[in-house]
Amino acid sequence: MVTKHPADAFAHELRRGTVVLATLSRLAHPQYGYALRQALAAHGMDIEEGTLYPLLRRLEARGLLESEWRVEGGGPRRRYYRRSAEGNRRYRELVATWRAMRTAVDDLIRTEGAEPCKPTT
């Protein structure tokens, strides 16, 4: 049995929180699962099928995605996903939250080891 390093578990937790945002970012236009996986991987976000497909189903169940079955170019029948109107609204909210958090964390990392801030009274 291989034991993971504790830092791996923390990295996994951090990454897990970004998968929804990354996935929604690629679904402004319809995509099927494999193409979506490739698009995410092209940007450094490798997501296993066992993670992606359940995520797509959860997002659809929550009303953030819409899907339809299509056959294109004589290929196999595929399920295409795209953000719904609610998904677009939530995506914009998540982007704003992400940007605020990224700014705060970048600032904390940049000032690592600096004199602690004194509480204001």
Coordinates of all heavy atoms in Angstrom, one line a residue, residues 5 18 22 26-27 36 39 41-42 46-47 50 52 56 75 78 83 89 93 96 100:
H5 N 1.8 11.5 0.7 CA 2.4 12.5 1.5 C 1.3 13.5 2.0 O 0.4 13.8 1.2 CB 3.5 13.2 0.7 CG 4.3 14.2 1.5 ND1 3.9 15.5 1.7 CD2 5.5 14.1 2.2 CE1 4.7 16.1 2.5 NE2 5.7 15.3 2.7
T18 N -11.3 24.1 -7.0 CA -11.2 24.9 -8.2 C -11.9 24.2 -9.4 O -12.1 24.8 -10.5 CB -9.8 25.2 -8.6 OG1 -9.1 24.0 -8.8 CG2 -9.1 26.1 -7.5
A22 N -13.3 25.8 -12.9 CA -12.6 25.5 -14.1 C -13.6 24.8 -15.1 O -13.6 25.2 -16.3 CB -11.5 24.5 -13.9
R26 N -15.4 26.5 -19.1 CA -15.3 25.9 -20.5 C -16.6 25.6 -21.1 O -16.7 25.1 -22.2 CB -14.5 24.6 -20.5 CG -13.0 24.8 -20.0 CD -12.2 25.6 -21.0 NE -12.1 26.9 -20.5 CZ -11.7 28.0 -21.2 NH1 -11.3 27.8 -22.4 NH2 -11.6 29.2 -20.7
L27 N -17.7 25.9 -20.3 CA -19.0 25.5 -20.8 C -20.0 26.7 -21.2 O -21.2 26.6 -21.1 CB -19.7 24.6 -19.8 CG -19.0 23.2 -19.6 CD1 -19.6 22.4 -18.5 CD2 -19.1 22.5 -21.0
L36 N -14.4 18.3 -23.3 CA -14.2 19.1 -22.1 C -13.0 18.8 -21.4 O -12.2 19.6 -21.0 CB -15.5 19.1 -21.3 CG -15.5 19.8 -19.9 CD1 -15.2 21.3 -20.1 CD2 -16.8 19.5 -19.2
A39 N -10.0 20.1 -23.2 CA -9.9 21.5 -23.1 C -9.4 21.9 -21.7 O -8.5 22.8 -21.6 CB -11.3 22.2 -23.3
A41 N -7.5 19.9 -19.7 CA -6.1 19.5 -19.7 C -5.2 20.4 -20.5 O -4.0 20.6 -20.0 CB -6.0 18.0 -20.2
A42 N -5.6 21.0 -21.6 CA -4.8 21.9 -22.3 C -4.4 23.1 -21.5 O -3.4 23.8 -21.8 CB -5.6 22.3 -23.6
D46 N -5.9 18.7 -15.4 CA -6.3 17.3 -15.7 C -7.4 16.8 -14.7 O -7.2 16.9 -13.5 CB -5.1 16.4 -15.6 CG -4.1 16.7 -16.8 OD1 -4.5 16.9 -17.9 OD2 -2.9 16.7 -16.5
I47 N -8.5 16.4 -15.3 CA -9.6 15.9 -14.4 C -9.9 14.4 -14.9 O -10.1 14.2 -16.1 CB -10.8 16.8 -14.5 CG1 -10.5 18.2 -14.1 CG2 -12.0 16.2 -13.7 CD1 -11.6 19.2 -14.2
G50 N -13.7 9.8 -13.8 CA -14.5 9.5 -12.6 C -14.8 10.7 -11.7 O -15.6 10.6 -10.8
L52 N -15.0 14.0 -13.4 CA -15.7 14.9 -14.3 C -17.2 14.6 -14.5 O -18.0 15.4 -14.4 CB -15.0 15.0 -15.6 CG -15.6 16.0 -16.7 CD1 -15.7 17.4 -16.1 CD2 -14.9 15.9 -18.0
L56 N -20.4 16.8 -13.7 CA -21.4 17.3 -14.7 C -22.8 17.0 -14.3 O -23.7 17.8 -14.4 CB -21.0 16.8 -16.1 CG -19.7 17.2 -16.7 CD1 -19.4 16.5 -17.9 CD2 -19.8 18.7 -17.0
G75 N -20.7 10.7 -36.2 CA -20.0 10.1 -35.1 C -21.0 9.5 -34.1 O -22.2 9.4 -34.4
R78 N -23.5 11.7 -28.5 CA -22.8 12.2 -27.3 C -23.7 13.2 -26.6 O -24.5 13.9 -27.2 CB -21.5 13.0 -27.8 CG -20.5 12.1 -28.4 CD -19.3 12.9 -28.8 NE -18.2 12.1 -29.2 CZ -17.6 12.2 -30.4 NH1 -17.8 13.2 -31.2 NH2 -16.6 11.4 -30.7
R83 N -23.5 25.8 -19.9 CA -24.1 26.5 -18.7 C -25.5 27.0 -19.0 O -25.8 27.4 -20.1 CB -23.2 27.8 -18.4 CG -21.9 27.4 -17.8 CD -21.2 28.7 -17.2 NE -21.2 29.8 -18.1 CZ -20.1 30.4 -18.6 NH1 -18.9 29.8 -18.4 NH2 -20.2 31.4 -19.4
R89 N -25.0 32.9 -14.2 CA -25.1 33.8 -13.1 C -24.1 33.3 -12.0 O -23.3 34.1 -11.4 CB -26.5 33.9 -12.5 CG -26.7 35.0 -11.4 CD -28.1 35.0 -10.9 NE -28.5 33.9 -10.1 CZ -28.1 33.7 -8.9 NH1 -27.3 34.5 -8.3 NH2 -28.5 32.6 -8.2
E93 N -20.5 34.9 -10.3 CA -20.3 35.1 -8.9 C -19.1 34.3 -8.4 O -18.3 34.9 -7.6 CB -21.5 34.5 -8.1 CG -22.8 35.3 -8.2 CD -24.0 34.6 -7.5 OE1 -23.8 33.5 -7.0 OE2 -25.1 35.3 -7.5
A96 N -15.9 36.2 -9.4 CA -15.7 37.4 -8.5 C -15.1 36.9 -7.2 O -14.2 37.5 -6.7 CB -17.0 38.2 -8.3
A100 N -11.3 37.7 -5.7 CA -11.1 38.3 -4.4 C -10.2 37.5 -3.5 O -9.2 37.9 -2.9 CB -12.4 38.6 -3.7

